[in-house]
Amino acid sequence: DGGITQSPKYLFRKEGQNVTLSCEQNLNHDAMYWYRQDPGQGLRLIYYSQIVNDFQKGDIAEGYSVSREKKESFPLTVTSAQKNPTAFYLCASSGTGYTGELFFGEGSRLTVL
Amino acid sequence: AQSVSQHNHHVILSEAASLELGCNYSYGGTVNLFWYVQYPGQHLQLLLKYFSGDPLVKGIKGFEAEFIKSKFSFNLRKPSVQWSDTAEYFCAVNGPGGYNKLIFGAGTRLAVHP
């Protein structure tokens, strides 16, 4: 089945620790995205990558980092610098051309204790 | 900065009632508009989109949306909702960077009671 796999689904971390969320896609899509979803605020773009070895900051990139070493993978690191990391994180991808259609993963819920 | 406003955060309807969810955006240039839906326990998925042409667009499951440029609106409608329409609905617009870089509204949580 083609799709986007995010792991872990649930993650707990202590304050001051970095944590990395995995996102893998087998859709052969060039572009990948990370969004943060908070109640009442919708989805906000953290980082996006249009092609391997390239990525751009979204609207709320502070305290996060990403890499795009492979087409199918776009991991997100939530660093200790992120002031309010508890949230639901969604990874998405899109294919060639501008269609506006993003394909989303199931999400990862991060809770900082 | 470009933004999207969804006026209703929670909507409760009975089956067979009509639905209209409001969406307004702030951007004076050419826009592409989208509605995404997240059913309980499922992935967020595209419901419908507007790029150009007929301002009344039809999507999956009987949903439609009308683009009114003068009002900067893209409201979602369905004549008769079903219990299975219970979900969260997000309006989105393409951002200044283009290339599928979408800006989402806060979402509207719809509950349909049998």
Side-chain angles (χ1 to χ4, degrees), chain A residues 4 30-31 33 35 37 40-43 45 48 50 57 59 88 90 94-95 97-102 104-106, chain B residues 9 32 34 36 38 41 43-46 49 51 88 90 93-95 97-107:
Chain A
I4 297 179
D30 287 317
Y33 311 79
Y35 282 88
Q37 186 177 9
Q41 295 193 57
L43 281 71
L45 183 63
Y48 65 105
Q50 297 181 8
K57 292 182 180 180
D59 300 317
F88 190 59
L90 284 166
S94 64
Y98 181 61
T99 65
E101 183 164 12
L102 302 184
F104 285 87
E106 288 186 334
Chain B
H9 295 295
N32 298 310
F34 312 85
Y36 277 78
Q38 190 170 30
H43 300 198
L44 200 62
Q45 60 185 287
L46 182 67
K49 62 184 178 183
F51 274 25
E88 190 160 17
F90 295 90
V93 63
N94 67 293
Y99 204 92
N100 297 328
K101 183 171 168 279
L102 301 183
I103 295 170
F104 286 83

Side-chain angles (χ1 to χ4, degrees), chain B residues 41-57:
Chain B
Q42 294 189 27
H43 300 198
L44 200 62
Q45 60 185 287
L46 182 67
L47 192 59
L48 49 77
K49 62 184 178 183
Y50 172 79
F51 274 25
S52 63
D54 189 345
L56 185 62
V57 293

Side-chain angles (χ1 to χ4, degrees), chain B residues 13-34:
Chain B
L13 294 173
S14 298
E15 275 193 320
S18 64
L19 170 72
E20 181 160 5
L21 301 182
C23 173
N24 286 91
Y25 63 92
S26 65
Y27 183 60
T30 301
V31 291
N32 298 310
L33 296 153
F34 312 85

Side-chain angles (χ1 to χ4, degrees), chain A residues 1 3 17 19 28 37 46 50-51 55 58-60 67 72-73 82 84 92 95-96 109:
Chain A
D1 264 298
Q17 290 180 335
V19 62
N28 200 32
Q37 186 177 9
I46 305 172
Q50 297 181 8
I51 198 167
F55 49 83
D59 300 317
I60 56 164
S67 63
E72 55 271 19
S73 179
Q82 167 50 232
N84 187 18
T96 304
R109 186 168 298 280

